[in-house]
Structures are given as structure tokens and as C-alpha cells.
Amino acid sequence: ITIIAYVGSDNSQDAASVNLDDSETGRGAIPRTITDDGGVHNVVAIDQYAFQNHTELGNVVFGSTSAPSLITRIEDHAFEGSDHLTEVNLNNASSLQYIGTNAFYRSSTATANISARELFIPASVTTIGANAFSGFNRLRSLVFEDTEDHPSQLEKIYGSAFAYAGNIYYSLSDLTNLP
């Protein structure tokens, strides 16, 4: 099954569609740009419910070392119910500021098999919504980027953002911005 969903664009108020996944690999690389009849648009947001309940989706990758993601927002419920994720790679999402409520929430404890073991939160993130990564039951490492070159901008982590996230190791070194 090919997944078609809506993503935001920096060049217009209208969203355009993008083919995120191919059914053979389950790999979902979020593109930097999309092209439609109106031209080339930077992809800067994943809209609410865009990939909700796409259980075929195995990996979600934002950008690459040579082409970092331009995404600034992952809206509420964007990937909620995509219950078979093996990877959520935000390592090259250096523009990401907002991860919404239930953004990657696992919808069913009975059928879910989220096997992602590592999660990196870029320094640019200011807000992580409630239940954003709730149910990542095999998560073992959670790293919040906070270095001299990339100081953390994190301001708020809402309730249960990482509930039922397995036996995780938190790395919150020197986060001084939190209220």
C-alpha cells in the first residue's frame, strides 16, 4: 500500500500530497521538498492526522546528513496509531521546534509493536506534547541534544510524553532552559 498524506508547505496555504512510503520497504523518508503544479515547495510541517493509523509504516526518517530536514512542526496526532514503527529518526531534523500531542502515540497496547530502541531529540525542539511518544515500549535510549554548538531550546515536555516507554536511559545534560 502506498501512503498518500498531506504535508505543509512554506510557499502556500494549501497542503500538497506526498508519497511517503513504499509497501516493500516500509521506509518513510520525509522529503525536503515536493513538487506540484505550483512549483517546488519546502516541506516544513507534518499536518494533524497526516499518517494516523498507517500500520504499514516501519521507519520515519527526517532528512539526512547531506540534506537536513526543513520540518519545523510535527502536528498533533500526525503519526498516531502507526503501531509498527522500528525507527523514528530525528537526527537530521535540526529545524524541528514542535512535536505535538499524540504525535507518535501508540494506539493499542494489544496490537502495537513499536520496536524503536533509540530516540534523539534535536536541540531546536522547544515543545514535546502530551503522549507524544507514549507507548514506545522497547525504547532504551532517549537523548536530548544539548551541546555548546547546539544548546537545547527545550521549554516544555507535557504530561506522559514518554509514558510506557520501556526501560529508557535519559540524557538531559545541562538543560538549563526548563522552567
Side-chain angles (χ1 to χ4, degrees), residues 12 24 79 84-85 100 138 143 145 156 165-166 178:
S12 71
E24 292 180 25
F79 293 92
H84 295 283
L85 294 173
R138 295 191 181 158
V143 177
E145 181 181 27
K156 293 184 180 184
L178 291 174

Side-chain angles (χ1 to χ4, degrees), residues 105 119 128-136 156-165 170:
Y105 179 74
L119 187 58
I128 300 174
N131 297 309
F133 297 99
S134 182
F136 274 48
K156 293 184 180 184
I157 300 176
Y158 286 91
S160 301
F162 299 98
Y164 309 107
Y170 291 88

Side-chain angles (χ1 to χ4, degrees), residues 5 11 17 21-22 27 29 34 36 49 55-56 62 70 72 100 110 112 118 133-134 137 140 142 163 167 170:
N11 295 337
S17 63
D21 185 37
D22 88 41
R27 188 149 182 92
I34 56 173
D36 62 15
Y49 307 102
T55 57
E56 307 89 353
F62 292 83
L70 300 174
T72 60
E118 300 176 358
F133 297 99
S134 182
N137 57 331
R140 298 293 178 258
L142 174 60
N167 298 316
Y170 291 88

Side-chain angles (χ1 to χ4, degrees), residues 8-131:
S9 167
D10 67 341
N11 295 337
S12 71
Q13 295 295 342
D14 297 325
S17 63
V18 61
N19 179 347
L20 176 66
D21 185 37
D22 88 41
S23 58
E24 292 180 25
T25 66
R27 188 149 182 92
I30 306 297
R32 282 177 54 92
T33 61
I34 56 173
T35 304
D36 62 15
D37 293 341
V40 177
H41 309 282
N42 290 336
V43 178
V44 297
I46 305 296
D47 205 3
Q48 289 185 16
Y49 307 102
F51 300 102
Q52 185 183 41
N53 297 322
H54 286 294
T55 57
E56 307 89 353
L57 195 56
N59 303 316
V60 180
V61 180
F62 292 83
S64 66
T65 305
S66 60
S69 172
L70 300 174
I71 297 287
T72 60
R73 297 179 63 86
I74 301 172
E75 297 294 349
D76 300 347
H77 312 280
F79 293 92
E80 178 181 1
S82 297
D83 288 345
H84 295 283
L85 294 173
T86 57
E87 177 184 21
V88 175
N89 186 327
L90 301 172
N91 295 14
N92 296 298
S94 56
S95 296
L96 183 62
Q97 297 171 3
Y98 176 81
I99 301 171
T101 297
N102 294 339
F104 291 94
Y105 179 74
R106 180 182 81 178
S107 65
S108 169
T109 56
T111 61
N113 186 26
I114 295 178
S115 60
R117 294 192 178 274
E118 300 176 358
L119 187 58
F120 174 85
I121 305 296
S124 56
V125 172
T126 61
T127 304
I128 300 174
N131 297 309

